[in-house]
C-alpha cells in the first residue's frame, strides 16, 4: 500500500490483512525495530537521509519475504527508485488516494508526529502532494479512493 501521510495505509492495510489471513507489516515499524527509534526521533536525530536509508533497507528486505503479506510503506518511500523497483516486483501495488481535505482531517485527528508536515501543515501537504502524486499513479496497479469511506470499505474494495 502506498499513499500520502494520513491516508490510512496502516489502518486499511491491517484490515485487509485480517480479512485475507495474511501478515501485515508497516515499514515504519520495521525501521523503528532496526534503529531502536521511531521515525520522528530518527529524523530529528539523524536526518531524513538516514531515515530514507533505513526505509530502503526495510523495503528491500520485505521484497524478498516468501509469504503472503500486506505491506504499508511510508508515504515518501516512492521517492526512491530502488523502493519503486522493489515494490513493483512484489506484484500488486495499491494506491490509497484521498483528497486534500480528507488528508488534512485525518492528520488533524491523528496524534502521530509527522516531521515532514511540521509547521504549516497545509503548505507542507500541498508540497508533498505535488512531489508524490505522479509517482503513486505510475507505480499503482490499483487505485482506491478513500474519501468518505471507512477503512473497512476501502479494505473490501482492495
Amino acid at each position: 500500500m502506498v499513499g500520502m501521510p494520513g491516508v490510512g495505509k496502516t489502518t486499511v492495510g491491517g484490515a485487509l490483512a485480517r480479512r485475507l489471513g495474511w501478515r501485515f507489516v508497516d515499514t515504519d515499524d520495521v525501521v523503528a525495530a532496526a534503529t531502536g527509534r521511531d521515525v520522528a526521533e530518527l529524523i530529528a536525530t539523524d536526518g531524513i537521509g538516514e531515515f530514507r536509508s533505513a526505509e530502503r533497507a526495510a523495503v528491500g528486505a520485505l521484497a524478498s519475504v516468501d509469504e503472503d503479506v500486506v505491506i504499508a510503506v511510508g508515504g515518501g518511500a516512492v521517492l526512491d527508485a530502488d523502493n519503486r523497483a522493489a515494490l513493483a516486483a512484489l506484484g500488486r501495488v495499491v494506491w490509497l488516494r484521498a483528497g486534500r481535505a480528507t488528508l488534512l482531517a485525518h492528520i488533524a485527528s491523528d496524534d502521530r508526529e509527522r516531521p515532514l508536515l511540521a509547521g504549516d501543515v497545509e503548505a507542507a501537504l500541498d508540497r508533498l502532494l505535488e512531489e508524490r502524486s505522479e509517482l503513486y499513479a505510475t507505480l499503482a496497479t490499483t487505485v482506491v479512493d478513500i474519501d468518505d469511506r471507512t477503512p473497512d470499505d476501502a479494505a473490501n474494495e482492495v
Side-chain angles (χ1 to χ4, degrees):
M1 306 210 122
V2 299
M4 288 292 293
V7 77
K9 298 177 297 289
T10 300
T11 304
V12 174
L16 176 62
R18 284 189 297 280
R19 275 180 181 63
L20 297 172
W22 293 6
R23 183 167 70 109
F24 173 73
V25 179
D26 186 315
T27 57
D28 285 352
D29 294 337
V30 174
V31 167
T35 64
R37 293 173 281 172
D38 68 23
V39 170
E41 183 183 356
L42 179 62
I43 292 171
T45 59
D46 295 353
I48 190 69
E50 197 61 34
F51 165 70
R52 292 290 179 218
S53 178
E55 182 179 59
R56 184 179 314 107
V59 171
L62 290 168
S64 63
V65 169
D66 189 27
E67 67 177 298
D68 293 327
V69 62
V70 175
I71 301 167
V73 299
V78 298
L79 298 171
D80 183 270
D82 290 341
N83 287 344
R84 291 193 306 272
L87 292 169
L90 285 171
R92 191 169 187 190
V93 177
V94 177
W95 175 19
L96 294 182
R97 183 172 59 185
R100 182 179 187 271
T102 298
L103 293 170
L104 286 169
H106 286 191
I107 291 164
S109 67
D110 187 354
D111 63 355
R112 281 186 279 180
E113 189 176 344
R114 298 178 186 275
L116 298 182
L117 294 174
D120 184 345
V121 174
E122 291 187 31
L125 182 65
D126 290 343
R127 181 181 48 78
L128 295 179
L129 280 164
E130 176 70 27
E131 179 181 63
R132 299 174 181 179
S133 292
E134 186 174 328
L135 294 170
Y136 296 142
T138 301
L139 184 61
T141 58
T142 303
V143 178
V144 176
D145 288 308
I146 63 111
D147 291 322
D148 301 317
R149 300 180 78 179
T150 68
D152 285 334
D153 288 343
N156 283 336
E157 183 173 334
V158 175

